[in-house]
Amino acid sequence: MNDNSVGWFEVGTDRPEDARSFYGELFGWTFANGPKYSEVTTPGVPHPTGGIADTGGEFPAYAIFYVVVRDVAATLARAESLGGKIVTPPATSPDGLVSARLEDSTGSLFGVFSPPGA
C-alpha cells in the first residue's frame, strides 16, 4: 500500500445481503462473509480492498473510504489545522492497525489508517 492513497473502503448497511448482491452483480465483487463483516475483493486484485459492514440498524447506511497514512495522529492534527474534525479518535486493533474517522472541511466523512508495523 502506498502512503496517502485510498487503501480500503467500507459500505455500512442493515441489509448486507442485498448490498453484496447489488455490488456483486454490478461490479463483479466477491465476498468472504463473516457474521457482521464481509471482506470485498474487486476484480483484478488478489486480496480484499474493502468491506461491507452489517450495521444492524444501529447507524444510517454509509459508504466511506480510508486513506493509508504513516502517522494517524499527525494526520489528524494536520486535518484539524485545515478545518477538518475528528469523528472517531484513533483506535488500535489487536494486530496493530491504527485507524480514525474524520470529517473534511465540507463535512464529508472519511477515514485514515496506518497498517500494523508502519
Side-chain angles (χ1 to χ4, degrees):
M1 287 184 226
N2 296 327
D3 288 343
N4 300 324
S5 65
V6 174
W8 194 260
F9 68 88
E10 183 176 279
V11 175
T13 177
D14 62 353
R15 296 176 20 218
E17 53 287 329
D18 291 343
R20 286 190 296 270
S21 177
F22 176 83
Y23 288 110
E25 289 292 322
L26 182 62
F27 296 126
W29 293 359
T30 58
F31 308 93
N33 296 335
K36 296 289 275 177
Y37 201 85
S38 299
E39 289 187 335
V40 177
T41 300
T42 58
V45 179
H47 53 80
T49 56
I52 294 183
D54 182 351
T55 65
E58 295 178 31
F59 309 100
Y62 65 88
I64 186 172
F65 65 90
Y66 290 85
V67 177
V68 180
V69 298
R70 249 183 229 286
D71 184 329
V72 169
T75 302
L76 296 179
R78 177 84 172 124
E80 285 184 312
S81 77
L82 295 170
K85 289 195 252 182
I86 298 169
V87 174
T88 305
T92 304
S93 69
D95 67 354
L97 182 136
V98 180
S99 64
R101 289 185 181 178
L102 308 92
E103 283 184 0
D104 68 16
S105 61
T106 70
S108 295
L109 187 65
F110 72 102
V112 296
F113 74 95
S114 292

